[in-house]
Amino acid sequence: MSRRQLPIDALKVFASQLIVLHHFAAYGPLSDALYDATPRLGAWLYDYARMAVQAFLVLGGFLAAKSLKYQQPLSAPSLVKLVLRRYVRLAPALVAALALTMLCSRWVRPWLDTDFVPAAPSWGQFFAHVLLLHGVLGVDSLSAGVWYVAIDFQLFALFATLLWIGGARGQALVWGGMLASLFVFNRNAELDNWAVYFFGAYALGAAAYWAGSVQHAGRAARLLWVLMFAGLGALAWDFRGRILLALGVALVLGLLRWREVHAPAAQPAPAHAPKGWERGIAFLGTASYALFLVHFSVLMLGNALFVRWGLHGESAAAQTLLACWLVAMAAAALFERWVEQPLARLSSRYGP
């Protein structure tokens, strides 16, 4: 793994783990046991760990800008191809994970009398998820966190569309969309099923990549200052902790990109064999999407076994949660290796 990729993988790992822990603290009898044992930790995980999604939003914009750096300005056929490619990157693995969730929910439903276990879906509900339209159609979600997959697709489509519309001035149009989201759309919670609500964080990541990539070091630094003051202005207008976090992540990524571009040529980073912990971070970073998709099924099973076996008490709850976490990590590794990778290869072969 290159040193340049290490911070990105580490960010993926950290954010994905926090989101998993947030769901562990939010659903089922195990979450109740967690609150009884450590109420402050349970409350923190429920209230604040979910904000880690902002890191994924920013990182998504950063990586989208990086992937499209040689394709600007976009043509209409290129736009359609890029959006379809993004869909086939996200949707097949999501459908496979939803099939697993439906099987698990059917098994645990007799033992868990709780709202967090999804009911048997209708065909309309299932295809709304397949088309990534469940949020905008107001369809009940079949799994925790799958709203983000639909939002990620919307954000990429909006980002690419703005670049296409703007042509040579596409980056300026994205900056304008960022400001519109930060100052207007993100302040209206009723829009949280639409990309415009989250586009401020996503575009912060894209702008950080562009600013850090400017060849003139002084101009790149000035653009990063502009980015920082734009974010601070939005926070002064209406303070939101999630935007503060998004701004911080964007600035860190922008500075890392600036350092990568403007590091003295006489002092290149020395080549080195990846260390064990670096390989571990790379592995976990690669499996972060799979973990996001499969951990809810593991959580349902863990809650069902906790109830079915009549377990109770802080020690039993802690051991069950730890087992759920370990099983979720193992399931994510298997899912990434045997489901996500083959589907990605199939999509690249027959996709747009």
Side-chain angles (χ1 to χ4, degrees):
M1 177 180 59
S2 70
R3 289 187 180 274
R4 293 178 298 176
Q5 184 66 25
L6 179 60
I8 290 176
D9 281 330
L11 181 60
K12 287 181 180 179
V13 172
F14 183 67
S16 62
Q17 294 296 330
L18 282 179
I19 291 170
V20 169
L21 291 175
H22 163 69
H23 290 153
F24 279 19
Y27 298 111
L30 285 173
S31 70
D32 297 334
L34 176 63
Y35 274 93
D36 292 339
T38 56
R40 289 187 178 180
L41 176 61
W44 188 91
L45 289 173
Y46 183 82
D47 293 331
Y48 296 106
R50 58 183 173 180
M51 290 175 62
V53 75
Q54 298 297 318
F56 276 114
L57 291 168
V58 174
L59 188 56
F62 185 87
L63 295 176
K66 180 179 180 180
S67 68
L68 299 183
K69 64 180 178 180
Y70 297 121
Q71 302 192 46
Q72 300 176 44
L74 290 174
S75 64
S78 296
L79 171 65
V80 173
K81 186 175 182 179
L82 285 169
V83 172
L84 289 176
R85 183 177 296 167
R86 187 61 183 169
Y87 175 80
V88 298
R89 166 68 181 89
L90 295 173
L94 172 64
V95 172
L98 288 178
L100 176 64
T101 300
M102 288 186 290
L103 287 173
C104 292
S105 63
R106 181 177 181 180
W107 185 78
V108 305
R109 211 172 285 128
W111 295 300
L112 290 178
D113 183 17
T114 177
D115 293 336
F116 95 89
V117 177
S122 65
W123 282 109
Q125 184 182 11
F126 178 74
F127 281 111
H129 283 72
V130 172
L131 297 175
L132 304 181
L133 295 174
H134 47 284
V136 299
L137 295 177
V139 174
D140 289 340
S141 179
L142 293 174
S143 182
V146 296
W147 65 270
Y148 178 80
V149 182
I151 287 297
D152 180 88
F153 176 68
Q154 284 189 43
L155 285 167
F156 182 85
L158 175 58
F159 175 70
T161 300
L162 290 176
L163 290 178
W164 171 63
I165 292 173
R169 299 179 181 271
Q171 292 187 14
L173 194 57
V174 171
W175 277 75
M178 175 188 76
L179 294 175
S181 177
L182 290 176
F183 282 90
V184 181
F185 300 123
N186 186 256
R187 298 172 59 226
N188 183 356
E190 295 181 357
L191 297 174
D192 64 358
N193 283 314
W194 297 91
V196 291
Y197 181 82
F198 299 96
F199 193 72
Y202 194 85
L204 279 171
Y209 181 83
W210 291 328
S213 300
V214 172
Q215 292 301 312
H216 188 280
R219 184 166 180 263
R222 287 193 293 272
L223 284 173
L224 288 173
W225 279 103
V226 170
L227 182 65
M228 183 183 73
F229 283 116
L232 291 176
L235 291 170
W237 184 260
D238 182 4
F239 182 83
R240 289 145 287 170
R242 61 184 182 275
I243 299 302
L244 177 62
L245 177 60
L247 177 61
V249 172
L251 290 174
V252 169
L253 291 174
L255 288 171
L256 290 172
R257 177 60 180 165
W258 183 91
R259 182 181 178 184
E260 177 185 335
V261 171
H262 301 289
Q267 300 178 6
H272 74 295
K275 300 175 182 177
W277 65 272
E278 292 178 334
R279 291 194 297 270
I281 290 177
F283 174 77
L284 293 175
T286 301
S288 60
Y289 183 51
L291 178 64
F292 186 78
L293 292 177
V294 304
H295 75 275
F296 185 68
S297 295
V298 175
L299 180 59
M300 284 194 298
L301 293 173
N303 273 281
L305 292 175
F306 186 76
V307 172
R308 176 67 173 144
W309 291 342
L311 301 178
H312 56 83
E314 298 176 2
S315 177
Q319 293 174 27
T320 306
L321 283 170
L322 177 60
C324 286
W325 179 71
L326 294 173
V327 172
M329 298 288 287
L334 293 173
F335 189 90
E336 192 274 334
R337 174 65 178 85
W338 297 107
V339 179
E340 188 180 351
Q341 284 189 26
L343 287 175
R345 289 194 294 267
L346 189 65
S347 298
S348 64
R349 181 179 301 178
Y350 298 106

